[in-house]
Amino acid sequence: MRFYYRPLARDELNHELIWLAVSLGSLALAVAWFALRLPWPHCLFLAVTGHPCVTCGATRAAIAFFHLDFWSAWKWNPLVFAALCGLSIFDAYAFAVLVIRAPRLRVVQFTRSEKSFLRLIAVILLLSNWIYLLSRPRGLF
Amino acid sequence: MVAPPAGSTTAAPRSGLPWDERHSKGLFHGFIETLQMVLSKPGAAFTVMRREGGLGEPLLFGLIGGSFGFIVYLIYNLAFQSLGMFANRNNPLTHLIGAGIGGIVLIVCAPLFVLIGIFIGSVILHLCLLLLGGAKQSFETTFRVVCFAGGSVNPLLVIPFCGGLIVGVWKIVLYCIGLARAHETDTGRAVLAVFLPLILCCGGVILCAMLFGGIGAMMHNWNP
Ligand SMILES: [Zn+2]
């Protein structure tokens, strides 16, 4: 796995611009959805089993996060909290490189064992998040 | 330059979909021919689909098909609700109309919903493929599959009442075939990648259904 900085190539996707725009657009839609008090979809897994799924509490974690109540966001769903932290860092980086026209950070050349390790980490994170949510008091979600 | 991802194959160049020739065929004919090919021969369509060449062209196809389908769906909903049908409290459209948001505003915003849906759907599918080791090509390939599958199947929302169900099922089938052919990965991985978001959120429901189905089948076999 190699990290390096280089200017955007001519035919290369401008990932920074694309994902900054998509995340801000999604945020704007979510804010509008809330402002209009539209109903959020209900979790089928929770409705049938009475237990939370891996993504349960994501909406409330996001609301707490954007109200800067990070502890509540973490408690609602640690994985969603971590994802929102990562997205915020990415957005700040993307905004900075687009404004100052800086070289782009790219991660390339993953070996087979690095890929397997990253997959294992992702599975462990998903499972531990789910175990944490299942350990929370019933009726919370 | 960026090295090709490990495990990628040096395949023969792909001839492309009719949409890539729309400058000579015309926009309408290019769109219809691509739609027909993707819906009737998805295996062949996603085998010839180009895997790279920018996001703009597939995005335009996905936006046209998706916006058309979404707008038709909105019009049906608005028409049925004005007749007092399907006006339930959990339908966001009912709330929007109650909040004084006109159908025109929704129709104008339709491409924005479709645009964000395409990007978020593509990134979720690509992450699932990466997790399962099925992503043999770049994100752009997954994005193209989502655009051409969605752009082709979403216009079927013109079918009243059951259009949504048909589009939902057909889209899942197209994603499975499209990801398998475009990434040149095995079909099992592609199918699992498409169903992984569902399994993560509704895994218990599927497991319970399988468990009860299995128990039911066993009890049926035990009966004399
Ligand atoms: Zn849930």
Side-chain angles (χ1 to χ4, degrees):
Chain A
M1 184 164 66
R2 280 180 55 208
F3 291 83
Y4 63 93
Y5 284 94
R6 58 165 167 68
L8 193 69
R10 235 171 70 89
D11 295 328
E12 190 185 351
L13 290 184
N14 192 342
H15 281 289
E16 285 78 4
L17 179 64
I18 291 169
W19 299 112
L20 180 66
V22 170
S23 63
L24 294 180
S26 310
L27 180 66
L29 277 183
V31 168
W33 198 272
F34 259 101
L36 294 166
R37 297 178 184 279
L38 300 179
W40 286 90
H42 294 287
C43 178
L44 185 63
F45 184 80
L46 183 67
V48 172
T49 65
H51 295 288
C53 73
V54 190
T55 55
C56 269
T59 311
R60 280 166 284 194
I63 293 168
F65 186 87
F66 290 115
H67 282 97
L68 306 181
D69 184 0
F70 299 128
W71 178 237
S72 296
W74 169 266
K75 281 196 295 182
W76 276 118
N77 193 312
L79 200 59
V80 170
F81 171 76
L84 288 170
C85 288
L87 190 64
S88 305
I89 293 167
F90 173 82
D91 280 356
Y93 149 78
F95 184 76
V97 295
L98 287 169
V99 169
I100 61 173
R101 295 167 183 267
R104 312 300 173 88
L105 172 67
R106 291 290 181 265
V107 192
V108 292
Q109 292 171 343
F110 290 88
T111 62
R112 193 178 283 263
S113 56
E114 284 167 346
K115 285 182 182 176
S116 303
F117 176 72
L118 288 174
R119 276 185 213 118
L120 182 69
I121 292 286
V123 172
I124 290 171
L125 284 175
L126 283 168
L127 279 177
S128 44
N129 189 62
W130 198 21
I131 291 167
Y132 164 78
L133 294 177
L134 288 169
S135 72
R136 303 223 58 198
R138 282 195 84 160
L140 185 71
F141 290 97
Chain B
M1 280 309 296
V2 178
S8 71
T9 50
T10 45
R14 291 167 164 240
S15 56
L17 291 164
W19 180 247
D20 299 320
E21 296 162 36
R22 67 185 183 282
H23 297 295
S24 56
K25 287 177 188 284
L27 188 83
F28 182 75
H29 284 106
F31 184 85
I32 295 297
E33 279 182 36
T34 305
L35 180 147
Q36 284 174 339
M37 188 177 184
V38 170
L39 294 183
S40 61
K41 290 177 281 182
F46 289 111
T47 303
V48 299
M49 184 196 79
R50 289 196 186 121
R51 291 190 282 220
E52 273 164 13
L55 302 187
E57 297 200 354
L59 183 61
L60 181 64
F61 184 88
L63 269 179
I64 294 173
S67 302
F68 173 77
F70 191 53
I71 289 169
V72 168
Y73 171 79
L74 285 173
I75 292 169
Y76 277 157
N77 259 273
L78 294 168
F80 288 139
Q81 285 189 26
S82 67
L83 296 171
M85 295 160 76
F86 309 130
N88 74 71
R89 279 193 308 118
N90 281 327
N91 187 341
L93 273 176
T94 313
H95 284 255
L96 281 171
I97 294 156
I101 306 296
I104 302 296
V105 177
L106 282 174
I107 287 167
V108 170
C109 291
L112 184 65
F113 284 106
V114 174
L115 182 82
I116 289 181
I118 287 173
F119 275 101
I120 292 179
S122 310
V123 84
I124 290 174
L125 276 180
H126 196 70
L127 284 176
C128 291
L129 271 178
L130 282 171
L131 189 67
L132 297 165
K136 308 285 183 204
Q137 304 295 329
S138 65
F139 165 76
E140 192 179 335
T141 304
T142 309
F143 181 85
R144 284 174 167 257
V145 170
V146 170
C147 287
F148 286 116
S152 301
V153 81
N154 282 331
L156 298 183
L157 284 166
V158 295
I159 302 168
F161 301 109
C162 58
L165 182 69
I166 293 170
V167 167
V169 174
W170 206 330
K171 200 185 278 183
I172 286 173
V173 173
L174 289 179
Y175 283 166
C176 295
I177 298 170
L179 292 177
R181 296 296 172 101
H183 279 273
E184 289 176 18
T185 188
D186 46 298
T187 312
R189 262 182 236 259
V191 172
L192 203 54
V194 173
F195 280 94
L196 194 59
L198 276 175
I199 294 168
L200 284 179
C201 293
C202 313
V205 178
I206 295 166
L207 279 179
C208 288
M210 283 162 69
L211 185 69
F212 289 124
I215 292 170
M218 281 159 67
M219 286 169 74
H220 185 258
N221 286 342
W222 283 341
N223 285 339

